[in-house]
């Protein structure tokens, strides 16, 4: 018989384990033996996986547990808002309030508008002459963010939105984001002021962002809501324009 796996130097074993998908490492390989469990719970393996897959920025993490979470959070990082730019009409947006003539989707740059800073964004949602609001609730467990991760690590929840007015009309904009418990109690909340864009504005796109951290255990949902209207009460769609909304969970 050839040499057994236990007799391999630890550095070699770590390289072999690093080639295995992370979920299998945690769910299956940890159970093989004490040595494997210790390696998988240690920092060196995850540092190697981060290096191999170009996940940088973890250098500031001091302890082993953080390296493993950093790896998972980095790999999973994606926008949890569905249909952020109106490519699918109003699909995935709930609790829609259609004041005035209601929400409409238009192609960039739109009348009296400006191009968006990113070429990947082609459309936006636009509001009317009374308040238009829409919301989306993100189920963190369904997106793969397990309870212990949310309760113990409490990764950053980063919220971003983009808004603009037309250069020939004034408008209002609001953003409200809540972190909710299992029973949908509010554990943390961010509410922008009501932002007023004057009638003679340059129609440029503005990003607004907020980062939740140290929000305590129990967060299971994120509720994102935004909206606005015009200030002239013109029939049609002269209110605030919004697009490229995002919610990400980050290390």
């Amino acid at each position: 018989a050839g040499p057994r796996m236990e007799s391999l130097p630890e550095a070699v074993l770590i390289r072999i384990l690093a080639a295995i998908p992370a979920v299998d490492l945690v769910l299956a390989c940890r159970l093989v033996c004490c040595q494997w469990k210790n390696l998988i719970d240690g920092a060196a393996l995850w540092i190697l996986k981060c290096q191999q897959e170009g996940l940088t920025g973890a250098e500031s993490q001091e302890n082993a547990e953080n390296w493993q979470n950093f790896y998972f959070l980095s790999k999973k990082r994606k926008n949890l808002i569905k249909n952020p730019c109106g490519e699918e009409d109003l699909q995935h947006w709930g609790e829609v309030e259609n004041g005035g003539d209601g929400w409409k989707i238009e192609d960039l740059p739109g009348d009296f508008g400006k191009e968006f800073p990113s070429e990947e964004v082609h459309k936006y949602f636009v509001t009317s002459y009374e308040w238009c609001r829409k919301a989306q609730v993100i189920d963190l467990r369904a997106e793969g963010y397990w309870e212990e991760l949310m309760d113990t690590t409490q990764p950053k929840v980063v919220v971003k939105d983009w808004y603009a007015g037309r250069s020939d009309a004034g408008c209002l904009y609001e953003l409200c984001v809540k972190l909710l418990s299992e029973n949908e109690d509010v554990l943390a909340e961010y509410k922008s002021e009501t932002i007023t864009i004057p009638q003679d504005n340059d129609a440029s796109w503005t990003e607004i962002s907020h980062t939740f951290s140290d929000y305590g255990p129990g967060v299971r949902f994120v509720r994102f809501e935004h909206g606005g209207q015009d200030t002239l009460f013109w029939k049609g769609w002269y209110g605030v324009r919004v697009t490229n909304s995002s919610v990400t969970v980050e290390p």
Side-chain angles (χ1 to χ4, degrees):
R4 295 170 59 82
M5 207 136 171
E6 300 88 278
S7 63
L8 286 171
E10 208 159 80
V12 176
L13 189 51
I14 283 175
R15 289 203 164 272
I16 294 169
L17 290 172
I20 297 171
V23 174
D24 298 331
L25 285 174
V26 174
L27 297 180
C29 299
R30 272 182 92 245
L31 309 177
V32 171
C33 63
C34 281
Q35 186 193 18
W36 284 32
K37 179 181 182 296
N38 290 338
L39 289 178
I40 290 164
D41 289 346
L45 171 61
W46 299 99
I47 291 171
L48 181 60
K49 279 186 85 66
C50 286
Q51 287 168 344
Q52 285 177 343
E53 299 182 38
L55 305 175
T56 55
E59 290 74 22
S60 57
Q61 309 289 356
E62 283 103 43
N63 60 31
E65 179 198 17
N66 284 0
W67 275 98
Q68 187 177 324
N69 286 338
F70 177 87
Y71 177 86
F72 275 104
L73 288 165
S74 300
K75 291 290 282 184
K76 290 176 71 65
R77 189 186 312 199
K78 63 168 186 172
N79 186 4
L80 301 176
I81 292 276
K82 297 179 171 69
N83 186 25
C85 306
E87 295 289 349
E88 302 170 77
D89 204 52
L90 278 168
Q91 206 175 331
H92 305 295
W93 292 97
E95 302 173 65
V96 177
E97 189 180 321
N98 280 310
D101 288 322
W103 285 98
K104 188 184 179 198
I105 286 113
E106 293 178 347
D107 293 327
L108 280 155
D111 294 340
F112 293 90
K114 279 227 175 107
E115 281 296 352
F116 192 76
S118 158
E119 287 175 10
E120 281 119 58
V121 179
H122 306 291
K123 296 174 185 278
Y124 57 81
F125 302 90
V126 56
T127 58
S128 190
Y129 57 86
E130 282 167 6
W131 271 99
C132 295
R133 286 188 180 86
K134 60 188 176 70
Q136 213 171 110
V137 176
I138 295 159
D139 180 339
L140 292 167
R141 272 173 308 194
E143 296 289 351
Y145 298 97
W146 59 97
E147 296 179 13
E148 191 194 0
L149 179 77
M150 295 308 300
D151 295 348
T152 307
T153 305
Q154 294 174 29
K156 294 195 285 283
V157 178
V158 181
V159 178
K160 295 180 179 176
D161 201 18
W162 288 81
Y163 64 89
R166 304 168 49 118
S167 57
D168 62 342
C171 59
L172 305 174
Y173 165 82
E174 274 178 15
L175 172 65
C176 178
V177 185
K178 298 173 180 175
L179 304 186
L180 305 175
S181 72
E182 181 78 48
N183 307 320
E184 304 201 1
D185 299 320
V186 178
L187 301 181
E189 179 175 11
Y190 167 75
K191 205 173 188 322
S192 74
E193 56 191 349
T194 303
I195 294 165
T196 305
I197 299 175
Q199 184 166 357
D200 50 354
N201 70 90
D202 68 356
S204 61
W205 287 92
T206 301
E207 184 183 42
I208 181 171
S209 85
H210 177 77
T211 299
F212 292 97
S213 55
D214 302 324
Y215 38 75
V219 172
R220 300 293 176 261
F221 302 95
V222 182
R223 186 180 184 280
F224 178 104
E225 180 188 292
H226 62 180
Q229 66 170 83
D230 78 12
T231 48
L232 302 165
F233 302 101
W234 287 351
K235 187 162 175 54
W237 295 273
Y238 293 86
V240 73
R241 299 165 169 186
V242 294
T243 196
N244 207 34
S245 314
S246 68
V247 173
T248 51
V249 179
E250 305 197 3

